[in-house]
Amino acid sequence: MWTEEAAATAEARESGIRNKSSSSSQIPVVGVVTEDNEAQGVFKPMDLNRVIKLLEETDKDGLEEKQLKFVKKLVQCFQNGLPLRDLAQIFKILNLCAGKIKKQPRFVESAYDIIKLCSLPFLKKKVSDEITYAEDTANSIALLGDLMKIPSSELRIQICKCIVDFYHAEPPKKHIPGYQQASSSYKIQMAEVGGLAKTMVQSITLLEHQLVEKLWVLKVLQHLSTSEVNCTIMMKAQAASGICTHLNDPDPSGQLLFRSSEILWNLLEKSSKEEVIQQLSNLECLLALKEVFTNLFMRGFSHYDRQLRNDILVITTIIAQNPEAPMIECGFTKDLILFATFNEVKSQNLLVKGLKLSNSYEDFELKKLLFNVIVILCKDLPTVQLLIDGKVILALFTYVKKPEKQKIMDWSAAQHEELQLHAIATLSSVAPLLIEEYMSCQGNARVLAFLEWCESEDPFFSHGNSFHGTGGRGNKFAQMRYSLRLLRAMVYLEDETVNTDLCEKGTIQQMIGIFKNIISKPNEKEEAIVLEIQSDILLILSGLCENHIQRKEIFGTEGVDIVLHVMKTDPRKLQSGLGYNLLLFSTLDSIWCCILGCYPSEDYFLEKEGIFLLLDVLALNQKKFCNLILGIMVEFCDNPKTAAHVNAWQGKKDQTAASLLIKLWRKEEKELGVKRDKNGKIIDTKKPLFTSFQEEHKIIPLPANCPSIAVMDVSENIRAKIYAILGKLDFENLPGLSAEDFVTLCIIHRYLDFKIQATHKQRELANKSWENFLARTSNAKTLKKAKRLQEKAIEASRYHKRPQNAVFHGTDIKGLNTTVPSGGVVTVESTPARLVGGPLADTDIALKKLPIRGGALQRVKAVEIVDAPKKSIPT
C-alpha cells in the first residue's frame, strides 16, 4: 500500500514527465507497465494508517465531514475485492466507524458500505497469503458478529446478507493482475475459526420483537449449521433451547418455523446429540414443540405444512428418548397418544373432532411416526396409565386381522400392509406392559387366528416394501415373523394367566404344526427369515413347557421330531451367518425345557439317537455350545438308559464320548491357565485346580447379592459338568482312552475332593486361631509376647513424619492387658442414681439439680425448689 511520500514522489515524476514532453526537442520516453503498476490502477492509492489515525482523532471542527469523506474514498478504492493483507486495517476502520454511531449516526452509512465490501471476494497476492493472514481474517470476520449489537436494522440485515454470501461465492467483477481470488471455502473456514456462530446465536436475544432481523439471523445460522465445527460452537452457546423456545413467535411468512426446525435438525446430527437433547428437555421447549405440532396437525393442509409437522414429530421423538424430559408434565404424551389412535378408536376430544388422515405420503409417514413414538414413550413407566386411557392396545389390534374383501380402506394395500406390520411390532413393546388390556382384548385369540391365516393357502400378494416387510414379498412371512415376536414377548413374561390361556387355545400344537409346515416347504430365497421364525417358535414352546409336565406331554413325540430335525442340520451351515447358530441355541433350550423331565419324551429322544446328535454337536468343539450341551447331558444321565447311548457313540477316528469329554477338560484347563506338566500331571499339589485368573485377581470384594468367584467357577466353566457326567458313568470301563486320558481321568475323579480341600484349609486356620487365643489367655508369657508383637505392628503401621505444629493424640490405653481388638458392642455405664433421683424422678427435678448444656436437655431456667417431686399426670 502506498505511503504519502510515495504518492508525492509519483506526483513529482508525473509533473516532470509532462514538462519534458512539452518540449519538442526531447525524445519521448516509453514506460514499462508492470503488474504492480496495473494493480495500482485498480486499487487507488490509499494510506489506511492515515485513515485510522484520522478516525481516532476527536474534538476538531469539520472533523466528521473529513472522516466520512476518507471512508467513502476507502470504499471506492476496494470495489473489486479486499486484499487479505489489508483486511485487518479495513476492519479496524469498520470498528472505529461502528464505535462512533451512537453519538454520530451518520457513520451508520459508512459502516454499512464497508460491511457490504465483505461480500466481495477476498484477494491474495501470494499462495501463502491464506495461511499468513489466517488469524487476521478470522478475527475480522468474528467482528461481524459483534457488530450485531448495534441497534441498527439496516446494519444488522447487511451483516447477515454478507455472511450468507460466504456460501454463494461469486468470481471478481474485474480481473486484477497480480491478485488471485482466495479459495471459495476460505471465508467459511475463517468464520469457523473465529467463532462467528457463537455471536450470531447470542444476537437472537437482542431481536425479541424485530421479526425481519430475526429471520435474517436464522438464515445465517441455517447456513452456519451445515458445518460440524459451527454446530458444536452453537450447541455450547445453548442455540437449541434458545431457538426452540421461539418457535411460536408470530411470523406470517412461515420462515421462522422452517429455518428453526432445520437448524435443530443440523444440531442433532452434527454436534453432541446427548447435549442437544438435554437442552431441549425442559418444559418451555416441549410446550413450544407441543403447540407447534398441534397447530400443524389440526390446521396444516399444504404439502409444506405436513412435511414440517413430521419433522417436528421426529425431533420430539428424539427428545422423548431422554427419560428426564417432562413429556407427561407438559401434556404432550397424552396428545400424541390421542393423535396416534383417533382413527381407530373414536374420540370426542376437540383436538381431533372432524379430523381425518388422508392416504398422502406425508400422512402415511405421520402414522408410522406416531406408532414409533408410542414405542419410545412406553419405556417411561408413568406413561402406562395414559396408554390404558388412550386404548392403545385396542387401536393397534384393529390391524391384526386378515384383509377383508370388498371393504373400502383408508389406505392403499401397500400402505395398509406396512401399517399392519408396524402395529404388530409396536404391540410387541406395548402389550407386555398392559397385560390386563391385552387379555381383555382377547389378544391371544387374535394373534393365534392371525397366525392361522398366515399359515393358510389364502391368496395374498404382499408388497414387502417396508423395513418391517423385509423378506415378505409375495408371501406372509413378514406377518408371521412379527406375530411370533409378539407371542414370544408375552410368553417370556412368565405370566401364568397369559400362558395358561395360550395352552388352552392349543398354542403348543399350533406352533408344532407351523414348524412342520415350514420345513416341508423349503424356501432358500428367504432362508434367514425362515430360520428366525423357527427359532421364535422353539423359544415360545420352551417358555410354555418349562416346569410343566402336562405341557411337556402335549409337546410329545411330534415336538421331539422337530427338535431332532434341527439337530441333523449340516454343521457347515453354522458358519453361514444366516441364523443357524441362533436356531441351534433355541433347539438346545427346547430340549432342556420341553423334553427333560418328561420320561416318555426322554425315551423317545434316546430311541431316535438324540444323544448321538448332541455328542456330534459337542464334537464340533464350539465353546458357545459346550456348556449348554453338557448341562443337558448331565440331566439326561439321570435316565438309566442314557449311559449305554453315551458309551456307544463314536465320532471321527473312532473317538469315544469319554475321550471327547476328557479332551474338553484338558482344553478348558489350558484356557484357564491351570498348571499341568507335559503328561497332564498336577504340578502344584496344594492348589491342584487353581486357575491363572484366580491367582491374578486374588480376593475381590463382591456385593452380598452377587455369587462368589468360586460359585461362578463351578457354573461357568465346564469342569463340574464333565465330572458329573463321568461320575454318572462310574469312571470305570470307559472305552477308547489313551495313557494321557487316564492321567486326566484320575484328576477328574478327584475333582470334588480338591474342591472340599479349600474347606479343610479354612477349618485348619480357624482351629489354629482358636489355639492361639487359648494360649494367650492361659499363659502370661505368651500374652506378653503377643502384646509386644501387636504393639510393634501398630507402630510399624504409623506415619512417622509428622507435620510441624501438629498435635498428637494418643490412642493407646495404658495398662490394658488384652491383645484382642475391641468388638462392635460398647458397654456404657448409666448416670448414677444420686444425680438423677432414681428411675421415676421427674425431669424438671433432675434438671434443677444438674443443669446441662448441649444434647437434648437444654432447660436451665431457674425453678422454685420444692420438697418433693410432683408426679406427672398422663394427658
Side-chain angles (χ1 to χ4, degrees):
M1 192 53 62
W2 284 20
T3 63
E4 287 184 281
E5 291 133 0
T9 305
E11 189 174 355
R13 285 179 180 173
E14 282 183 14
S15 176
I17 291 170
R18 282 196 299 271
N19 291 335
K20 289 181 181 179
S21 63
S22 62
S23 172
S24 57
S25 61
Q26 298 295 329
I27 300 172
V29 177
V30 178
V32 179
V33 181
T34 64
E35 285 188 350
D36 284 346
N37 292 333
E38 193 171 345
Q40 288 169 4
V42 175
F43 294 126
K44 296 178 182 179
M46 191 80 188
D47 185 355
L48 296 178
N49 288 328
R50 183 182 177 189
V51 178
I52 292 169
K53 189 175 180 181
L54 181 65
L55 288 168
E56 288 174 343
E57 293 179 2
T58 56
D59 302 331
K60 286 187 179 180
D61 294 336
L63 182 62
E64 183 177 341
E65 290 294 335
K66 190 175 181 181
Q67 290 171 335
L68 291 170
K69 184 179 179 182
F70 266 80
V71 173
K72 192 170 184 180
K73 284 184 179 180
L74 179 143
V75 172
Q76 291 172 351
C77 178
F78 295 102
Q79 285 297 315
N80 294 299
L82 298 178
L84 290 176
R85 63 182 182 179
D86 298 328
L87 209 58
Q89 291 173 302
I90 293 170
F91 270 83
K92 187 171 183 180
I93 293 169
L94 171 60
N95 198 27
L96 288 168
C97 291
K100 294 178 178 292
I101 290 174
K102 188 173 183 180
K103 295 182 179 179
Q104 298 168 280
R106 293 175 66 189
F107 276 93
V108 170
E109 185 179 354
S110 300
Y112 179 92
D113 291 339
I114 297 174
I115 291 169
K116 198 171 181 180
L117 293 177
C118 297
S119 299
L120 299 173
F122 285 180
L123 304 173
K124 58 184 179 181
K125 196 170 184 66
K126 299 177 182 177
V127 176
S128 61
D129 280 0
E130 289 189 7
I131 299 171
T132 305
Y133 299 105
E135 186 177 354
D136 290 343
T137 307
N139 292 335
S140 299
I141 291 176
L143 180 63
L144 293 174
D146 294 330
L147 295 179
M148 290 295 292
K149 297 174 184 177
I150 300 173
S152 167
S153 177
E154 58 180 342
L155 205 62
R156 286 169 170 168
I157 292 172
Q158 183 55 48
I159 291 170
C160 293
K161 286 181 178 178
C162 169
I163 298 169
V164 170
D165 286 341
F166 290 179
Y167 295 84
H168 308 284
E170 294 182 0
K173 296 178 182 177
K174 184 177 181 180
H175 176 67
I176 303 170
Y179 285 90
Q180 294 179 346
Q181 183 178 359
S183 59
S184 57
S185 62
Y186 185 66
K187 289 183 181 179
I188 298 171
Q189 292 171 1
M190 292 302 101
E192 293 175 357
V193 175
L196 176 64
K198 180 180 179 180
T199 49
M200 294 307 295
V201 169
Q202 293 170 343
S203 68
I204 293 178
T205 57
L206 306 172
L207 308 172
E208 289 289 338
H209 306 292
Q210 287 82 28
L211 178 61
V212 177
E213 293 97 303
K214 189 187 295 183
L215 291 177
W216 271 106
V217 170
L218 288 173
K219 187 173 183 179
V220 168
L221 292 174
Q222 186 181 355
H223 282 80
L224 290 173
S225 65
T226 56
S227 141
E228 289 186 6
V229 175
N230 283 334
C231 280
T232 302
I233 294 170
M234 291 166 66
M235 177 266 294
K236 291 179 179 177
Q238 303 293 311
S241 57
I243 290 171
C244 188
T245 51
H246 291 282
L247 286 175
N248 288 309
D249 289 359
D251 173 30
S253 68
Q255 289 186 52
L256 186 145
L257 188 54
F258 163 68
R259 297 194 189 283
S260 298
S261 63
E262 185 163 338
I263 294 167
L264 291 176
W265 259 114
N266 290 339
L267 288 172
L268 285 165
E269 288 182 349
K270 298 178 180 178
S271 66
S272 171
K273 185 177 179 181
E274 293 75 20
E275 180 60 33
V276 175
I277 291 174
Q278 198 63 39
Q279 288 184 25
L280 296 174
S281 298
N282 59 70
L283 203 59
E284 193 176 2
C285 288
L286 287 171
L287 283 171
L289 286 166
K290 175 192 170 186
E291 188 175 343
V292 168
F293 180 75
T294 303
N295 287 336
L296 289 171
F297 191 89
M298 296 173 65
R299 302 177 186 88
F301 299 104
S302 67
H303 173 76
Y304 165 79
D305 286 341
R306 289 170 175 170
Q307 278 189 328
L308 194 56
R309 172 199 64 191
N310 292 357
D311 288 344
I312 296 295
L313 181 54
V314 174
I315 292 171
T316 302
T317 304
I318 294 171
I319 298 170
Q321 293 174 4
N322 179 14
E324 297 177 2
M327 293 288 294
I328 297 175
E329 291 82 345
C330 70
F332 208 172
T333 298
K334 186 177 181 180
D335 287 355
L336 288 172
I337 291 171
L338 173 67
F339 295 146
T341 59
F342 80 97
N343 256 21
E344 295 78 20
V345 180
K346 299 305 176 185
S347 172
Q348 300 300 318
N349 193 300
L350 295 176
L351 289 176
V352 294
K353 192 174 182 180
L355 278 180
K356 190 175 182 181
L357 296 178
S358 68
N359 61 356
S360 65
Y361 174 78
E362 291 77 23
D363 282 357
F364 174 59
E365 287 297 312
L366 172 70
K367 192 67 179 177
K368 292 193 294 181
L369 287 171
L370 287 169
F371 282 169
N372 186 56
V373 81
I374 285 177
V375 174
I376 301 297
L377 292 172
C378 74
K379 294 176 183 178
D380 186 16
L381 290 181
T383 308
V384 170
Q385 187 57 48
L386 295 176
L387 295 172
I388 295 170
D389 297 340
K391 300 181 180 178
V392 171
I393 295 291
L394 181 61
L396 292 171
F397 264 124
T398 58
Y399 293 90
V400 188
K401 57 185 178 182
K402 64 179 182 180
E404 298 179 16
K405 298 178 181 178
Q406 298 178 349
K407 182 181 178 182
I408 300 173
M409 300 182 66
D410 298 329
W411 308 101
S412 68
Q415 287 176 332
H416 185 269
E417 180 192 355
E418 190 169 345
L419 288 177
Q420 182 184 63
L421 294 172
H422 209 135
I424 301 171
T426 305
L427 275 169
S428 298
S429 298
V430 178
L433 301 172
L434 307 173
I435 297 175
E436 290 184 12
E437 284 64 35
Y438 174 85
M439 295 302 292
S440 65
C441 291
Q442 297 294 316
N444 286 336
R446 289 178 186 242
V447 177
L448 293 173
F450 188 68
L451 276 171
E452 192 175 341
W453 169 79
C454 292
E455 193 187 6
S456 68
E457 300 293 335
D458 289 357
F460 176 70
F461 301 100
S462 62
H463 295 77
N465 296 324
S466 66
F467 167 78
H468 294 97
T470 303
R473 192 170 184 83
N475 56 54
K476 304 170 190 171
F477 281 153
Q479 285 79 2
M480 183 179 288
R481 177 191 190 188
Y482 281 96
S483 300
L484 288 170
R485 280 190 187 179
L486 171 56
L487 272 186
R488 187 188 71 194
M490 297 309 297
V491 167
Y492 270 71
L493 291 173
E494 297 183 1
D495 185 276
E496 198 54 37
T497 305
V498 175
N499 289 356
T500 301
D501 183 62
L502 282 169
C503 293
E504 288 174 353
K505 289 180 168 54
T507 304
I508 295 175
Q509 299 93 322
Q510 187 174 349
M511 292 296 109
I512 293 171
I514 293 172
F515 198 104
K516 292 172 73 175
N517 192 29
I518 289 173
I519 59 179
S520 67
K521 301 174 183 177
N523 189 325
E524 295 182 1
K525 187 179 178 182
E526 308 297 346
E527 191 172 9
I529 306 297
V530 171
L531 290 173
E532 183 183 337
I533 289 172
Q534 290 176 325
S535 298
D536 282 342
I537 289 173
L538 290 172
L539 289 172
I540 290 167
L541 290 169
S542 298
L544 291 174
C545 294
E546 188 175 14
N547 302 324
H548 289 83
I549 296 297
Q550 291 180 343
R551 296 175 190 174
K552 290 180 181 183
E553 290 173 353
I554 296 172
F555 182 83
T557 56
E558 286 190 353
V560 174
D561 285 336
I562 64 173
V563 168
L564 293 170
H565 174 83
V566 177
M567 295 291 293
K568 293 175 183 176
T569 302
D570 186 348
R572 291 174 294 183
K573 290 184 177 181
L574 294 174
Q575 310 300 327
S576 66
L578 293 173
Y580 279 99
N581 279 328
L582 179 60
L583 179 60
L584 185 53
F585 270 120
S586 304
T587 305
L588 294 173
D589 189 51
S590 64
I591 293 173
W592 188 280
C593 299
C594 303
I595 297 175
L596 286 170
C598 180
Y599 298 125
S601 296
E602 284 185 12
D603 291 345
Y604 186 75
F605 183 84
L606 291 170
E607 287 173 18
K608 293 295 182 178
E609 300 181 345
I611 289 293
F612 290 179
L613 295 174
L614 280 173
L615 288 167
D616 287 341
V617 178
L618 188 64
L620 296 175
N621 204 11
Q622 294 198 21
K623 191 173 179 65
K624 54 194 171 186
F625 299 124
C626 285
N627 216 332
L628 189 53
I629 293 173
L630 289 171
I632 292 169
M633 289 190 64
V634 169
E635 295 299 319
F636 258 113
C637 284
D638 287 337
N639 190 317
K641 299 178 183 178
T642 303
H645 288 263
V646 173
N647 289 326
W649 177 84
Q650 281 191 334
K652 292 180 180 179
K653 298 181 181 179
D654 296 329
Q655 185 183 31
T656 62
S659 175
L660 172 62
L661 292 170
I662 293 170
K663 182 181 176 183
L664 288 173
W665 175 284
R666 281 199 296 266
K667 181 172 179 286
E668 181 77 1
E669 288 202 326
K670 186 176 180 181
E671 291 176 359
L672 293 172
V674 180
K675 294 177 182 178
R676 300 280 185 266
D677 67 8
K678 62 180 181 180
N679 297 318
K681 293 188 294 183
I682 296 170
I683 294 176
D684 188 350
T685 55
K686 292 184 179 179
K687 300 175 182 177
L689 301 177
F690 215 59
T691 66
S692 59
F693 174 81
Q694 290 171 312
E695 192 170 358
E696 288 170 7
H697 291 77
K698 304 295 180 184
I699 298 173
I700 302 175
L702 293 171
N705 60 346
C706 291
S708 67
I709 293 176
V711 174
M712 295 299 291
D713 177 66
V714 172
S715 62
E716 289 185 356
N717 77 63
I718 62 176
R719 293 186 294 178
K721 296 181 179 67
I722 293 173
Y723 167 79
I725 295 170
L726 291 175
K728 298 282 179 72
L729 300 176
D730 295 329
F731 291 105
E732 295 179 2
N733 302 322
L734 300 175
L737 300 185
S738 64
E740 187 181 8
D741 291 341
F742 278 111
V743 172
T744 308
L745 183 63
C746 291
I747 295 172
I748 298 173
H749 195 187
R750 297 293 303 277
Y751 173 75
L752 205 56
D753 295 333
F754 293 147
K755 279 285 180 184
I756 292 164
Q757 183 174 340
T759 307
H760 285 310
K761 187 176 181 180
Q762 292 296 325
R763 286 177 182 170
E764 288 173 7
L765 290 173
N767 291 336
K768 189 174 181 181
S769 176
W770 177 247
E771 289 171 3
N772 289 335
F773 176 74
L774 290 177
R776 292 198 305 272
T777 55
S778 59
N779 190 319
K781 290 182 180 180
T782 305
L783 177 62
K784 289 177 181 179
K785 183 180 178 181
K787 180 67 175 177
R788 285 195 299 272
L789 289 173
Q790 187 185 56
E791 288 173 349
K792 187 177 179 181
I794 292 171
E795 189 63 30
S797 67
R798 283 176 174 157
Y799 184 72
H800 296 285
K801 294 182 180 180
R802 299 177 189 168
Q804 292 183 354
N805 303 323
V807 179
F808 176 73
H809 298 279
T811 56
D812 293 340
I813 303 173
K814 293 183 179 181
L816 185 67
N817 294 319
T818 176
T819 57
V820 181
S822 58
V825 180
V826 178
T827 303
V828 179
E829 292 184 2
S830 61
T831 308
R834 61 186 175 80
L835 294 178
V836 297
L840 300 177
D842 185 80
T843 305
D844 289 341
I845 300 302
L847 290 171
K848 292 168 196 172
K849 293 182 178 179
L850 185 65
I852 299 173
R853 288 190 179 275
L857 301 176
Q858 296 284 341
R859 300 171 60 188
V860 294
K861 292 181 180 179
V863 183
E864 183 184 354
I865 300 176
V866 294
D867 295 332
K870 295 178 181 179
K871 293 183 179 179
S872 57
I873 302 174
T875 56

